[in-house]
Amino acid sequence: MAKNKLSGSIWGVLGDGVKLYCVHFKQFALYMLFPVLGQMAGLFWVFATSYLFSKNLDYLTREIPALDSFGTIMISLMLITLPGLILWMKAFWDYLVAYGALNSMTEAGMTTGKIYDFPAYNAVVTKRAAKFIGIWLLFSIFSLVSVIPFFWVIGMIFFVYFVLIFQVFTFEEDVSPSGCFKRSLMLIKGNFARTLAVMVVLFAVTYYFLELGVSVIFDALKISDFFYGILEGWASSIPVDSINSILAMSGGSQITPLDISKSIVQQIVFFLVVGFTLPLRSIVWTLWYKVLSEKDGLPAKVSHKNSKKLDPEIIKRTKEKD
């Protein structure tokens, strides 16, 4: 992709996005390593320590009489799971920050051809953390309303209109949280069908086809079978009979510990694929934002009177490090 030369077509933007993602795949994967695996490790710590503590509770209360009270047990459980919760919270926050930082990385990849200064990209978000949190709060409220069946269709329509809120936040520094939603809506107004087409392709590739492909690879390499064996033992401790009795009353099919373990592995694969392809989605939406900004009669790199260019510090560090 020529430097700052953007294709205005849907397939051109998707092609440029895939190309930029593949060229800098190592950097993007490295950046997403902690946000994705950190969340998984934190949750694993919480569930594993809770399971081991509960399984050995009788022995512990015999050996440590002070544990033989509900209050002490709850405090002990919170203390042993606290490291995992802290790890998960830090990784989750970094994952949210990535929604803004990846847009700056895309700009850096197009402008300098290099991506490496992760703290500088994160600073684009963290130095305006209050506004960024405000955007996520507004988006969370919108998402909660959208899950109500009556608002499904309206929610899906506005989800398309609001898909560029993080790009607006990144490149238009003085826009308020609510202004990011308004600006995204104005950019997509008149381009709804094309934006929806981009969204459908991205969703199909990153949420379905790649997840399906990785699952096939895991099955072929017997990785799935390995995790099935580990998780099936843990799933056996779940009161499956009670669950099946409830399912039988509602006419549902019966489940086994193996079914539970297969479902967990499937969710893990899904989370890994969706997490590590977040850069691809951010790249494409950043390119699409620039295309629509140009169509709006404004330069691709400076899309608004309050827009900001790529952080000069990022450019400076990139030129210094070859």
Side-chain angles (χ1 to χ4, degrees), residues 147-250:
V147 298
I148 301 174
F150 181 77
F151 295 107
W152 280 356
V153 175
I154 297 176
M156 283 301 302
I157 292 173
F158 276 98
F159 183 76
V160 177
Y161 279 116
F162 295 153
V163 75
L164 298 179
I165 54 175
F166 296 107
Q167 282 68 35
V168 174
F169 167 82
T170 303
F171 299 112
E172 303 183 19
E173 188 170 0
D174 295 331
V175 180
S176 66
S178 61
C180 290
F181 286 81
K182 294 177 182 177
R183 173 66 174 155
S184 176
L185 189 149
M186 294 305 297
L187 283 171
I188 294 173
K189 185 178 180 181
N191 298 282
F192 181 88
R194 295 203 300 160
T195 303
L196 178 61
V198 175
M199 183 179 291
V200 169
V201 173
L202 280 178
F203 183 89
V205 171
T206 62
Y207 282 81
Y208 180 73
F209 290 112
L210 286 178
E211 187 270 337
L212 183 63
V214 173
S215 295
V216 171
I217 294 174
F218 271 41
D219 291 340
L221 298 177
K222 305 298 182 182
I223 297 176
S224 298
D225 293 337
F226 172 76
F227 285 108
Y228 292 159
I230 296 176
L231 293 171
E232 188 175 6
W234 168 80
S236 299
S237 64
I238 299 175
V240 177
D241 293 336
S242 300
I243 297 175
N244 283 331
S245 63
I246 297 174
L247 292 174
M249 294 174 60
S250 60

Side-chain angles (χ1 to χ4, degrees), residues 13-258:
V13 167
L14 289 168
D16 288 345
V18 171
K19 181 179 179 180
L20 188 61
Y21 178 66
C22 292
V23 169
H24 299 286
F25 177 79
K26 180 180 178 180
Q27 290 86 350
F28 285 124
L30 182 62
Y31 177 76
M32 296 303 301
L33 203 61
F34 177 74
V36 174
L37 298 185
Q39 290 187 70
M40 294 182 61
L43 292 177
F44 175 79
W45 178 281
V46 171
F47 285 109
T49 53
S50 301
Y51 170 71
L52 292 174
F53 182 77
S54 302
K55 186 176 182 179
N56 297 281
L57 186 57
D58 292 338
Y59 170 78
L60 292 172
T61 52
R62 287 196 304 269
E63 295 294 321
I64 309 175
L67 284 176
D68 196 13
S69 71
F70 178 77
T72 307
I73 291 174
M74 293 305 298
I75 293 174
S76 301
L77 186 60
M78 286 189 291
L79 288 176
I80 64 175
T81 57
L82 185 59
L85 287 173
I86 293 175
L87 176 61
W88 177 83
M89 291 173 63
K90 178 61 171 67
F92 181 68
W93 168 248
D94 286 357
Y95 191 83
L96 296 183
V97 168
Y99 276 81
L102 287 168
N103 303 325
S104 294
M105 290 187 197
T106 300
E107 179 80 358
M110 296 172 60
T111 306
T112 68
K114 300 176 184 179
I115 297 175
Y116 72 91
D117 199 348
F118 297 156
Y121 305 128
N122 288 337
V124 173
V125 176
T126 55
K127 68 183 181 182
R128 292 184 287 150
K131 287 185 179 180
F132 189 68
I133 293 172
I135 292 175
W136 273 111
L137 288 176
L138 290 176
F139 184 75
S140 299
I141 295 172
F142 163 72
S143 300
L144 288 174
V145 174
S146 298
V147 298
I148 301 174
F150 181 77
F151 295 107
W152 280 356
V153 175
I154 297 176
M156 283 301 302
I157 292 173
F158 276 98
F159 183 76
V160 177
Y161 279 116
F162 295 153
V163 75
L164 298 179
I165 54 175
F166 296 107
Q167 282 68 35
V168 174
F169 167 82
T170 303
F171 299 112
E172 303 183 19
E173 188 170 0
D174 295 331
V175 180
S176 66
S178 61
C180 290
F181 286 81
K182 294 177 182 177
R183 173 66 174 155
S184 176
L185 189 149
M186 294 305 297
L187 283 171
I188 294 173
K189 185 178 180 181
N191 298 282
F192 181 88
R194 295 203 300 160
T195 303
L196 178 61
V198 175
M199 183 179 291
V200 169
V201 173
L202 280 178
F203 183 89
V205 171
T206 62
Y207 282 81
Y208 180 73
F209 290 112
L210 286 178
E211 187 270 337
L212 183 63
V214 173
S215 295
V216 171
I217 294 174
F218 271 41
D219 291 340
L221 298 177
K222 305 298 182 182
I223 297 176
S224 298
D225 293 337
F226 172 76
F227 285 108
Y228 292 159
I230 296 176
L231 293 171
E232 188 175 6
W234 168 80
S236 299
S237 64
I238 299 175
V240 177
D241 293 336
S242 300
I243 297 175
N244 283 331
S245 63
I246 297 174
L247 292 174
M249 294 174 60
S250 60
S253 57
Q254 304 293 286
I255 62 173
T256 65
L258 181 59

